[in-house]
Amino acid sequence: MLDIKVTKTETPKAKPAKDDPLLFGTIFTDHMFIMDYAEGKGWYDPRIVPYGDITLPPAATIFHYGQGVFEGLKAYNAVDGGVNLFRPDMNAKRSNRSSDRLCIPEIPEEDFVQAIEELVELDKDWIPNEPDHSLYIRPFIIGTDPFLGLRTSAYYKFIIILSPVGPYYPEGLDPVGIWIEDDYVRAVRGGIGEAKTGGNYAASILSQVKAHDEGYSQVLWLDGVYRKYIEEVGAMNIFFKIDGKVVTPMLNGSILPGITRDSVIQICKEWGYDVIEKRIDIAEIEEAWKNGTLEEVWGTGTAAVISPVGKLRMGDEIMQVQDGGIGELSQRLYDEVTGIQLGKVKDTRGWIVKID
Ligand SMILES: *Cc1c(COP(=O)(O)O)cnc(C)c1O
């Protein structure tokens, strides 16, 4: 149990106005959580302080070698009262797995969750009351050793910041177009693909820009060796419904193990679907599309929860799915997962952690 020292701001900021579109990740709340680490001492000085700039030595590890990991989850104003977190223990576990890969010291899971709970509790008035709004929570850990030599950092900071966000799809679910990337790759097995770390995003920016310029909102990555097995999309895992079955790439070491992915797999199984996690050749998807059995495609991730895919572009070919519309299962999954998160649908799986 952390003994968190709280210093409240003396100059609270104005909360966003009711009709503020709250573009993702642009506004931050009044406070943040910080905890330090020093080799030989361990994690120490957990504190909540006014949100603001931090000072770091220019030689800090994070700036030069990218030794850092992050997480993303949301807090919701529940319709049945209180504030809901969705499976925060999974974020704590995944953060530690990411840290293990990057030689960052672990944080006890209960401390990780406690820090989130206390910070959200303090800033809960920042959770917008409008329907489908939430508070995005961004925990991250960075190496701060002021040393340019390449070694694991002896100092770290664990920081949590909060950002109120509107619904990802203000007008209701809106299918996205996806660019299948056959030039660049995001990750390879043995690399850092399954860790939630900035390096994977650094590798993906160029493709993302290219896809945007072509009018596509996301990139679908193929594997780094054969360049034909499906990995994932931007910051989402990907699912296909083919001939009544739910198919998704297996976790192979280069794919991020999404918490929404895990939740969707469990729900689909409970609903009686065959869920197949396997290596998927992009040719299989093309084949299913050609013979009319590619029924639905959707992405899963904390930001959008379920993101229906209306078209996939591969080379010169554009594969339209559901005539560019929303599939029935995609919609049902969206309603179920967001329903649980907002307290509209009964949480039968113990996924919700209530604050106060
Ligand atoms: C965070 C992330 C996801 C989605 O994970 P969730 O836990 O469902 O939010 C998928 N892919 C990448 C690369 C990610 O960083």
Side-chain angles (χ1 to χ4, degrees):
M1 182 93 179
L2 296 175
D3 184 12
I4 302 173
K5 184 166 167 260
V6 179
T7 309
K8 286 193 192 165
T9 179
E10 282 169 11
T11 50
K13 293 177 278 195
K15 309 260 186 323
K18 221 179 163 47
D19 53 1
D20 192 309
L22 288 176
L23 292 177
F24 181 83
T26 49
I27 295 176
F28 299 94
T29 66
D30 280 327
H31 300 93
M32 60 185 180
F33 172 90
I34 305 184
M35 181 160 73
D36 296 303
Y37 178 95
E39 213 170 72
K41 188 168 178 182
W43 289 105
Y44 68 96
D45 196 12
R47 58 200 185 274
I48 289 173
V49 294
Y51 178 90
D53 293 350
I54 56 170
T55 315
L56 290 177
T61 327
I62 183 66
F63 296 137
H64 307 276
Y65 308 120
Q67 200 191 6
V69 298
F70 68 94
E71 273 300 323
L73 70 159
K74 285 175 174 173
Y76 310 83
N77 264 333
V79 297
D80 55 346
V83 172
N84 284 355
L85 295 176
F86 184 70
R87 312 187 72 187
D89 54 308
M90 295 285 282
N91 295 95
K93 285 193 182 78
R94 185 172 65 191
S95 180
N96 280 338
R97 283 201 308 273
S98 299
S99 287
D100 291 347
R101 179 64 183 82
L102 279 96
C103 295
I104 294 170
E106 289 193 3
I107 294 171
E109 283 167 33
E110 56 280 13
D111 293 354
F112 186 98
V113 175
Q114 183 198 343
I116 291 173
E117 285 175 347
E118 288 196 29
L119 182 63
V120 171
E121 166 72 30
L122 182 64
D123 276 351
K124 67 181 176 199
D125 289 348
W126 280 86
I127 310 178
N129 271 318
E130 282 65 60
D132 301 327
H133 283 53
S134 59
L135 190 64
Y136 183 77
I137 305 167
R138 168 55 59 87
F140 60 104
I141 308 166
I142 52 175
T144 57
D145 208 338
F147 172 58
L148 286 185
L150 188 51
R151 68 163 185 223
T152 176
S153 180
Y155 303 93
Y156 298 87
K157 276 188 191 303
F158 171 41
I159 304 177
I160 307 173
I161 55 176
L162 307 174
S163 174
V165 289
Y168 201 84
Y169 297 107
E171 316 289 338
L173 278 186
D174 191 15
V176 295
I178 282 188
W179 175 279
I180 302 176
E181 178 60 85
D182 55 7
D183 197 357
Y184 301 105
V185 300
R186 169 188 176 273
V188 289
R189 282 172 73 178
I192 52 174
E194 65 181 347
K196 209 166 172 75
T197 181
N200 292 319
Y201 284 84
S204 73
I205 292 171
L206 183 55
S207 300
Q208 189 70 39
V209 169
K210 189 175 77 179
H212 264 264
D213 288 349
E214 300 281 343
Y216 289 77
S217 66
Q218 304 264 353
V219 172
L220 174 73
W221 298 104
L222 300 177
D223 78 279
V225 178
Y226 305 99
R227 309 278 185 103
K228 64 176 185 176
Y229 297 110
I230 296 174
E231 298 252 310
E232 60 178 311
V233 176
M236 295 192 292
N237 296 109
I238 184 112
F239 285 77
F240 303 90
K241 182 160 164 271
I242 302 174
D243 203 15
K245 295 187 173 69
V246 174
V247 188
T248 191
M250 61 195 264
L251 299 178
N252 62 354
S254 55
I255 298 174
L256 202 285
I259 295 163
T260 322
R261 174 188 184 276
D262 181 82
S263 309
V264 160
I265 289 174
Q266 286 192 47
I267 292 170
C268 284
K269 283 183 179 166
E270 277 177 41
W271 285 350
Y273 285 98
D274 272 344
V275 181
I276 304 159
E277 295 176 66
K278 63 165 196 171
R279 193 158 83 158
I280 307 168
D281 192 323
I282 187 69
E284 242 180 89
I285 300 304
E286 201 186 354
E287 177 66 30
W289 175 68
K290 284 192 173 138
N291 68 26
T293 54
L294 182 62
E295 293 158 359
E296 294 186 38
V297 183
W298 68 88
T300 64
T302 294
V305 185
I306 304 290
S307 211
V309 176
K311 63 176 179 182
L312 294 146
R313 160 149 190 182
M314 185 166 64
D316 293 332
E317 191 165 65
I318 296 178
M319 300 188 265
Q320 274 240 333
V321 194
Q322 284 282 337
D323 295 325
I326 302 163
E328 196 184 311
L329 181 57
S330 311
Q331 182 72 54
R332 191 177 167 210
L333 282 166
Y334 179 83
D335 294 341
E336 176 78 6
V337 179
T338 56
I340 296 167
Q341 291 167 336
L342 294 164
K344 294 177 189 165
V345 170
K346 195 167 180 316
D347 169 32
T348 54
R349 304 170 189 91
W351 284 349
I352 293 298
V353 170
K354 271 215 183 288
I355 300 181
D356 68 345

PDB file of all heavy atoms in Angstrom, residues 308-331:
ATOM      1  N   PRO A 308     -15.373  -0.436 -36.422  1.00  0.00           N
ATOM      2  CA  PRO A 308     -15.706  -1.218 -37.616  1.00  0.00           C
ATOM      3  C   PRO A 308     -14.837  -0.779 -38.790  1.00  0.00           C
ATOM      4  O   PRO A 308     -14.552   0.412 -38.933  1.00  0.00           O
ATOM      5  CB  PRO A 308     -17.171  -0.861 -37.890  1.00  0.00           C
ATOM      6  CG  PRO A 308     -17.661  -0.108 -36.713  1.00  0.00           C
ATOM      7  CD  PRO A 308     -16.481   0.442 -35.993  1.00  0.00           C
ATOM      8  N   VAL A 309     -14.421  -1.732 -39.620  1.00  0.00           N
ATOM      9  CA  VAL A 309     -13.614  -1.428 -40.795  1.00  0.00           C
ATOM     10  C   VAL A 309     -14.510  -1.555 -42.024  1.00  0.00           C
ATOM     11  O   VAL A 309     -15.110  -2.600 -42.248  1.00  0.00           O
ATOM     12  CB  VAL A 309     -12.414  -2.392 -40.895  1.00  0.00           C
ATOM     13  CG1 VAL A 309     -11.629  -2.149 -42.183  1.00  0.00           C
ATOM     14  CG2 VAL A 309     -11.501  -2.231 -39.677  1.00  0.00           C
ATOM     15  N   GLY A 310     -14.613  -0.462 -42.789  1.00  0.00           N
ATOM     16  CA  GLY A 310     -15.484  -0.468 -43.967  1.00  0.00           C
ATOM     17  C   GLY A 310     -14.752  -0.846 -45.231  1.00  0.00           C
ATOM     18  O   GLY A 310     -15.329  -1.342 -46.190  1.00  0.00           O
ATOM     19  N   LYS A 311     -13.448  -0.582 -45.268  1.00  0.00           N
ATOM     20  CA  LYS A 311     -12.662  -0.976 -46.447  1.00  0.00           C
ATOM     21  C   LYS A 311     -11.198  -1.179 -46.091  1.00  0.00           C
ATOM     22  O   LYS A 311     -10.673  -0.557 -45.162  1.00  0.00           O
ATOM     23  CB  LYS A 311     -12.806   0.051 -47.574  1.00  0.00           C
ATOM     24  CG  LYS A 311     -12.272   1.413 -47.211  1.00  0.00           C
ATOM     25  CD  LYS A 311     -12.340   2.373 -48.389  1.00  0.00           C
ATOM     26  CE  LYS A 311     -11.814   3.743 -47.976  1.00  0.00           C
ATOM     27  NZ  LYS A 311     -11.867   4.753 -48.994  1.00  0.00           N
ATOM     28  N   LEU A 312     -10.588  -2.088 -46.844  1.00  0.00           N
ATOM     29  CA  LEU A 312      -9.164  -2.382 -46.675  1.00  0.00           C
ATOM     30  C   LEU A 312      -8.509  -2.205 -48.033  1.00  0.00           C
ATOM     31  O   LEU A 312      -8.982  -2.733 -49.041  1.00  0.00           O
ATOM     32  CB  LEU A 312      -8.982  -3.852 -46.257  1.00  0.00           C
ATOM     33  CG  LEU A 312      -9.515  -4.272 -44.890  1.00  0.00           C
ATOM     34  CD1 LEU A 312     -10.026  -5.709 -44.964  1.00  0.00           C
ATOM     35  CD2 LEU A 312      -8.415  -4.169 -43.853  1.00  0.00           C
ATOM     36  N   ARG A 313      -7.420  -1.462 -48.045  1.00  0.00           N
ATOM     37  CA  ARG A 313      -6.744  -1.275 -49.322  1.00  0.00           C
ATOM     38  C   ARG A 313      -5.441  -2.068 -49.358  1.00  0.00           C
ATOM     39  O   ARG A 313      -4.575  -1.933 -48.506  1.00  0.00           O
ATOM     40  CB  ARG A 313      -6.456   0.203 -49.534  1.00  0.00           C
ATOM     41  CG  ARG A 313      -5.374   0.402 -50.540  1.00  0.00           C
ATOM     42  CD  ARG A 313      -5.503   1.637 -51.318  1.00  0.00           C
ATOM     43  NE  ARG A 313      -4.534   1.581 -52.414  1.00  0.00           N
ATOM     44  CZ  ARG A 313      -4.352   2.532 -53.274  1.00  0.00           C
ATOM     45  NH1 ARG A 313      -5.084   3.601 -53.212  1.00  0.00           N
ATOM     46  NH2 ARG A 313      -3.448   2.413 -54.224  1.00  0.00           N
ATOM     47  N   MET A 314      -5.327  -2.910 -50.397  1.00  0.00           N
ATOM     48  CA  MET A 314      -4.102  -3.686 -50.566  1.00  0.00           C
ATOM     49  C   MET A 314      -3.617  -3.454 -51.983  1.00  0.00           C
ATOM     50  O   MET A 314      -4.289  -3.836 -52.948  1.00  0.00           O
ATOM     51  CB  MET A 314      -4.381  -5.170 -50.346  1.00  0.00           C
ATOM     52  CG  MET A 314      -3.121  -6.000 -50.393  1.00  0.00           C
ATOM     53  SD  MET A 314      -3.365  -7.644 -49.740  1.00  0.00           S
ATOM     54  CE  MET A 314      -4.524  -8.299 -50.889  1.00  0.00           C
ATOM     55  N   GLY A 315      -2.460  -2.802 -52.123  1.00  0.00           N
ATOM     56  CA  GLY A 315      -1.968  -2.475 -53.458  1.00  0.00           C
ATOM     57  C   GLY A 315      -3.013  -1.659 -54.193  1.00  0.00           C
ATOM     58  O   GLY A 315      -3.475  -0.644 -53.695  1.00  0.00           O
ATOM     59  N   ASP A 316      -3.443  -2.150 -55.357  1.00  0.00           N
ATOM     60  CA  ASP A 316      -4.430  -1.401 -56.135  1.00  0.00           C
ATOM     61  C   ASP A 316      -5.851  -1.861 -55.859  1.00  0.00           C
ATOM     62  O   ASP A 316      -6.799  -1.366 -56.456  1.00  0.00           O
ATOM     63  CB  ASP A 316      -4.138  -1.555 -57.632  1.00  0.00           C
ATOM     64  CG  ASP A 316      -2.830  -0.885 -57.996  1.00  0.00           C
ATOM     65  OD1 ASP A 316      -2.457   0.081 -57.290  1.00  0.00           O
ATOM     66  OD2 ASP A 316      -2.174  -1.337 -58.954  1.00  0.00           O
ATOM     67  N   GLU A 317      -5.960  -2.839 -54.958  1.00  0.00           N
ATOM     68  CA  GLU A 317      -7.280  -3.410 -54.711  1.00  0.00           C
ATOM     69  C   GLU A 317      -7.916  -2.803 -53.458  1.00  0.00           C
ATOM     70  O   GLU A 317      -7.257  -2.621 -52.447  1.00  0.00           O
ATOM     71  CB  GLU A 317      -7.110  -4.912 -54.485  1.00  0.00           C
ATOM     72  CG  GLU A 317      -8.385  -5.692 -54.471  1.00  0.00           C
ATOM     73  CD  GLU A 317      -8.085  -7.179 -54.626  1.00  0.00           C
ATOM     74  OE1 GLU A 317      -7.452  -7.753 -53.722  1.00  0.00           O
ATOM     75  OE2 GLU A 317      -8.470  -7.742 -55.654  1.00  0.00           O
ATOM     76  N   ILE A 318      -9.192  -2.485 -53.554  1.00  0.00           N
ATOM     77  CA  ILE A 318      -9.915  -1.985 -52.382  1.00  0.00           C
ATOM     78  C   ILE A 318     -10.998  -2.993 -52.022  1.00  0.00           C
ATOM     79  O   ILE A 318     -11.883  -3.283 -52.821  1.00  0.00           O
ATOM     80  CB  ILE A 318     -10.536  -0.601 -52.645  1.00  0.00           C
ATOM     81  CG1 ILE A 318      -9.410   0.419 -52.882  1.00  0.00           C
ATOM     82  CG2 ILE A 318     -11.388  -0.172 -51.452  1.00  0.00           C
ATOM     83  CD1 ILE A 318      -9.880   1.803 -53.200  1.00  0.00           C
ATOM     84  N   MET A 319     -10.869  -3.583 -50.832  1.00  0.00           N
ATOM     85  CA  MET A 319     -11.855  -4.570 -50.390  1.00  0.00           C
ATOM     86  C   MET A 319     -12.884  -3.865 -49.524  1.00  0.00           C
ATOM     87  O   MET A 319     -12.558  -3.385 -48.436  1.00  0.00           O
ATOM     88  CB  MET A 319     -11.172  -5.679 -49.587  1.00  0.00           C
ATOM     89  CG  MET A 319     -10.118  -6.442 -50.372  1.00  0.00           C
ATOM     90  SD  MET A 319      -9.504  -7.878 -49.466  1.00  0.00           S
ATOM     91  CE  MET A 319      -8.049  -7.204 -48.686  1.00  0.00           C
ATOM     92  N   GLN A 320     -14.105  -3.801 -49.994  1.00  0.00           N
ATOM     93  CA  GLN A 320     -15.198  -3.216 -49.211  1.00  0.00           C
ATOM     94  C   GLN A 320     -15.808  -4.296 -48.343  1.00  0.00           C
ATOM     95  O   GLN A 320     -16.004  -5.425 -48.795  1.00  0.00           O
ATOM     96  CB  GLN A 320     -16.272  -2.678 -50.161  1.00  0.00           C
ATOM     97  CG  GLN A 320     -15.996  -1.262 -50.631  1.00  0.00           C
ATOM     98  CD  GLN A 320     -17.113  -0.310 -50.239  1.00  0.00           C
ATOM     99  OE1 GLN A 320     -18.256  -0.714 -50.080  1.00  0.00           O
ATOM    100  NE2 GLN A 320     -16.773   0.948 -50.054  1.00  0.00           N
ATOM    101  N   VAL A 321     -16.083  -3.948 -47.095  1.00  0.00           N
ATOM    102  CA  VAL A 321     -16.697  -4.911 -46.178  1.00  0.00           C
ATOM    103  C   VAL A 321     -18.053  -4.354 -45.756  1.00  0.00           C
ATOM    104  O   VAL A 321     -18.156  -3.160 -45.451  1.00  0.00           O
ATOM    105  CB  VAL A 321     -15.825  -5.118 -44.913  1.00  0.00           C
ATOM    106  CG1 VAL A 321     -16.271  -6.347 -44.130  1.00  0.00           C
ATOM    107  CG2 VAL A 321     -14.356  -5.223 -45.275  1.00  0.00           C
ATOM    108  N   GLN A 322     -19.070  -5.177 -45.695  1.00  0.00           N
ATOM    109  CA  GLN A 322     -20.414  -4.714 -45.265  1.00  0.00           C
ATOM    110  C   GLN A 322     -20.847  -3.499 -46.075  1.00  0.00           C
ATOM    111  O   GLN A 322     -21.471  -2.582 -45.529  1.00  0.00           O
ATOM    112  CB  GLN A 322     -20.389  -4.327 -43.766  1.00  0.00           C
ATOM    113  CG  GLN A 322     -20.372  -5.497 -42.817  1.00  0.00           C
ATOM    114  CD  GLN A 322     -21.763  -6.111 -42.666  1.00  0.00           C
ATOM    115  OE1 GLN A 322     -22.774  -5.479 -42.896  1.00  0.00           O
ATOM    116  NE2 GLN A 322     -21.812  -7.379 -42.280  1.00  0.00           N
ATOM    117  N   ASP A 323     -20.501  -3.467 -47.366  1.00  0.00           N
ATOM    118  CA  ASP A 323     -20.781  -2.290 -48.207  1.00  0.00           C
ATOM    119  C   ASP A 323     -20.312  -1.003 -47.544  1.00  0.00           C
ATOM    120  O   ASP A 323     -20.917   0.053 -47.700  1.00  0.00           O
ATOM    121  CB  ASP A 323     -22.292  -2.185 -48.513  1.00  0.00           C
ATOM    122  CG  ASP A 323     -22.772  -3.356 -49.360  1.00  0.00           C
ATOM    123  OD1 ASP A 323     -21.984  -3.819 -50.208  1.00  0.00           O
ATOM    124  OD2 ASP A 323     -23.901  -3.814 -49.138  1.00  0.00           O
ATOM    125  N   GLY A 324     -19.255  -1.107 -46.752  1.00  0.00           N
ATOM    126  CA  GLY A 324     -18.725   0.074 -46.060  1.00  0.00           C
ATOM    127  C   GLY A 324     -19.501   0.404 -44.792  1.00  0.00           C
ATOM    128  O   GLY A 324     -19.215   1.396 -44.132  1.00  0.00           O
ATOM    129  N   GLY A 325     -20.463  -0.398 -44.420  1.00  0.00           N
ATOM    130  CA  GLY A 325     -21.299  -0.145 -43.241  1.00  0.00           C
ATOM    131  C   GLY A 325     -20.803  -0.882 -42.002  1.00  0.00           C
ATOM    132  O   GLY A 325     -19.665  -1.348 -41.953  1.00  0.00           O
ATOM    133  N   ILE A 326     -21.670  -0.955 -40.994  1.00  0.00           N
ATOM    134  CA  ILE A 326     -21.304  -1.566 -39.713  1.00  0.00           C
ATOM    135  C   ILE A 326     -21.913  -2.960 -39.593  1.00  0.00           C
ATOM    136  O   ILE A 326     -23.109  -3.133 -39.801  1.00  0.00           O
ATOM    137  CB  ILE A 326     -21.821  -0.701 -38.543  1.00  0.00           C
ATOM    138  CG1 ILE A 326     -21.250   0.715 -38.642  1.00  0.00           C
ATOM    139  CG2 ILE A 326     -21.460  -1.326 -37.199  1.00  0.00           C
ATOM    140  CD1 ILE A 326     -22.014   1.698 -37.802  1.00  0.00           C
ATOM    141  N   GLY A 327     -21.087  -3.933 -39.250  1.00  0.00           N
ATOM    142  CA  GLY A 327     -21.586  -5.292 -39.080  1.00  0.00           C
ATOM    143  C   GLY A 327     -22.383  -5.440 -37.791  1.00  0.00           C
ATOM    144  O   GLY A 327     -22.180  -4.689 -36.826  1.00  0.00           O
ATOM    145  N   GLU A 328     -23.252  -6.451 -37.791  1.00  0.00           N
ATOM    146  CA  GLU A 328     -24.126  -6.668 -36.638  1.00  0.00           C
ATOM    147  C   GLU A 328     -23.325  -7.035 -35.385  1.00  0.00           C
ATOM    148  O   GLU A 328     -23.578  -6.535 -34.296  1.00  0.00           O
ATOM    149  CB  GLU A 328     -25.065  -7.818 -37.018  1.00  0.00           C
ATOM    150  CG  GLU A 328     -26.288  -7.970 -36.154  1.00  0.00           C
ATOM    151  CD  GLU A 328     -27.081  -9.210 -36.576  1.00  0.00           C
ATOM    152  OE1 GLU A 328     -27.336  -9.366 -37.792  1.00  0.00           O
ATOM    153  OE2 GLU A 328     -27.396 -10.021 -35.683  1.00  0.00           O
ATOM    154  N   LEU A 329     -22.324  -7.927 -35.557  1.00  0.00           N
ATOM    155  CA  LEU A 329     -21.533  -8.347 -34.393  1.00  0.00           C
ATOM    156  C   LEU A 329     -20.674  -7.187 -33.866  1.00  0.00           C
ATOM    157  O   LEU A 329     -20.544  -7.002 -32.655  1.00  0.00           O
ATOM    158  CB  LEU A 329     -20.668  -9.567 -34.745  1.00  0.00           C
ATOM    159  CG  LEU A 329     -19.811 -10.135 -33.608  1.00  0.00           C
ATOM    160  CD1 LEU A 329     -20.651 -10.525 -32.394  1.00  0.00           C
ATOM    161  CD2 LEU A 329     -18.992 -11.336 -34.100  1.00  0.00           C
ATOM    162  N   SER A 330     -20.122  -6.393 -34.780  1.00  0.00           N
ATOM    163  CA  SER A 330     -19.313  -5.235 -34.364  1.00  0.00           C
ATOM    164  C   SER A 330     -20.153  -4.315 -33.483  1.00  0.00           C
ATOM    165  O   SER A 330     -19.707  -3.858 -32.430  1.00  0.00           O
ATOM    166  CB  SER A 330     -18.826  -4.423 -35.569  1.00  0.00           C
ATOM    167  OG  SER A 330     -18.235  -5.242 -36.545  1.00  0.00           O
ATOM    168  N   GLN A 331     -21.365  -4.032 -33.928  1.00  0.00           N
ATOM    169  CA  GLN A 331     -22.257  -3.143 -33.179  1.00  0.00           C
ATOM    170  C   GLN A 331     -22.615  -3.750 -31.825  1.00  0.00           C
ATOM    171  O   GLN A 331     -22.598  -3.078 -30.790  1.00  0.00           O
ATOM    172  CB  GLN A 331     -23.539  -2.880 -33.997  1.00  0.00           C
ATOM    173  CG  GLN A 331     -24.508  -1.928 -33.303  1.00  0.00           C
ATOM    174  CD  GLN A 331     -24.024  -0.477 -33.287  1.00  0.00           C
ATOM    175  OE1 GLN A 331     -23.696   0.097 -34.331  1.00  0.00           O
ATOM    176  NE2 GLN A 331     -23.954   0.132 -32.097  1.00  0.00           N
TER     177      GLN A 331
END
